[in-house]
Amino acid sequence: QQPVQSPQAVILREGEDAVINCSSSKALYSVHWYRQKHGEAPVFLMILLKGGEQMRHEKISASFNEKKQQSSLYLTASQLSYSGTYFCGTGAYSGAGSYQLTFGKGTKLSVIP
Amino acid sequence: DSGVTQTPKHLITATGQRVTLRCSPRSGDLSVYWYQQSLDQGLQFLIQYYNGEERAKGNILERFSAQQFPDLHSELNLSSLELGDSALYFCASSPSPDREMAQYFGPGTRLTVT
């Protein structure tokens, strides 16, 4: 089941903050966050595990609420380099015991001067 | 640079044809994943291999197949191509297929079917 991301798109001025949400209708074992710039490959940001701590990557942090089955990505004091599409991925174990990610449709973040 | 390599970078072919996309995972990674990304679409999981064995299948068409070789590189074969198969195809790798493992993506192969 594909996680739902919100908002679909957001425009920020440099220095502003933003929150991107990722919700699932199923219980979550982990949430993966990736950023993809136009024409490039997705780049890993961080993983949040069930029962784990809040994670941080530079000025980007994320939380994982197991009860609500959702994760939020917090971008603080945004920089131009934060522009891109952010994807969350939630997973399930296959019959063979492998963890398979399903990605949301993405949130397009544009940071302007 | 993630350490994952994919060839070719671009591929233009006609409907009905067959193509092979190749992926070499990061050194030490045993798990390989294939994703399809259409224009302005998210990443659709196709198939996953771990140490040569198929471990999970996603929305992969019957016209598509893949395999992982003993040297751990993987190939995705797309046959009887249709216009709708035009997309970016990404390969990703991780040390193992566990929930705490980050996936590292290659630069992708852009397939255009005319």
Side-chain angles (χ1 to χ4, degrees):
Chain A
Q1 195 108 21
Q2 186 176 43
V4 176
Q5 289 186 234
S6 63
Q8 284 185 299
V10 59
I11 300 175
L12 297 175
R13 291 202 177 275
E14 263 186 299
E16 290 183 339
D17 302 339
V19 180
I20 299 172
N21 297 305
C22 174
S23 297
S24 173
S25 59
K26 295 169 74 170
L28 297 175
Y29 294 100
S30 71
V31 179
H32 295 219
W33 285 98
Y34 291 78
R35 177 173 60 207
Q36 184 179 29
K37 293 185 182 280
H38 185 68
E40 298 181 10
V43 172
F44 168 72
L45 291 177
M46 62 188 84
I47 294 174
L48 295 105
L49 301 177
K50 185 176 176 178
E53 301 174 358
Q54 185 177 48
M55 298 299 290
R56 174 174 289 277
H57 170 83
E58 297 172 352
K59 286 188 180 175
I60 300 172
S61 62
S63 63
F64 182 11
N65 188 322
E66 295 164 37
K67 274 190 179 175
K68 290 186 178 179
Q69 295 169 189
Q70 70 182 38
S71 176
S72 296
L73 192 71
Y74 306 94
L75 297 99
T76 307
S78 57
Q79 306 165 16
L80 294 175
S81 62
Y82 286 2
S83 293
T85 300
Y86 289 77
F87 292 99
C88 71
T90 59
Y93 282 98
S94 70
S98 285
Y99 197 67
Q100 175 187 327
L101 280 183
T102 302
F103 286 94
K105 290 188 176 178
T107 295
K108 187 169 180 179
L109 180 79
S110 303
V111 181
I112 57 176
Chain B
D1 184 352
S2 67
V4 178
T5 60
Q6 287 187 248
T7 56
K9 256 189 111 104
H10 301 277
L11 202 45
I12 301 174
T13 189
T15 53
Q17 295 297 305
R18 173 189 167 95
V19 297
T20 297
L21 312 184
R22 183 189 167 104
C23 166
S24 291
R26 293 186 320 158
S27 176
D29 284 357
L30 301 180
S31 227
V32 168
Y33 313 79
W34 285 97
Y35 292 91
Q36 180 193 56
Q37 186 174 44
S38 302
L39 194 64
D40 294 329
Q41 293 295 308
L43 293 152
Q44 299 294 315
F45 170 70
L46 295 177
I47 198 164
Q48 178 199 4
Y49 284 83
Y50 175 62
N51 206 20
E53 287 185 16
E54 181 187 303
R55 283 297 193 93
K57 254 182 170 174
N59 301 321
I60 187 165
L61 299 170
E62 282 192 16
R63 300 183 284 110
F64 296 0
S65 65
Q67 58 184 128
Q68 186 180 28
F69 295 86
D71 67 352
L72 301 176
H73 91 272
S74 178
E75 292 180 358
L76 179 67
N77 300 297
L78 315 176
S79 61
S80 302
L81 285 167
E82 302 176 358
L83 295 177
D85 296 329
S86 295
L88 254 177
Y89 290 84
F90 286 107
C91 161
S93 75
S94 66
S96 68
D98 295 314
R99 68 182 181 117
E100 68 270 23
M101 290 294 164
Q103 293 182 21
Y104 292 89
F105 284 76
T109 292
R110 183 173 292 282
L111 174 67
T112 303
V113 183
T114 62

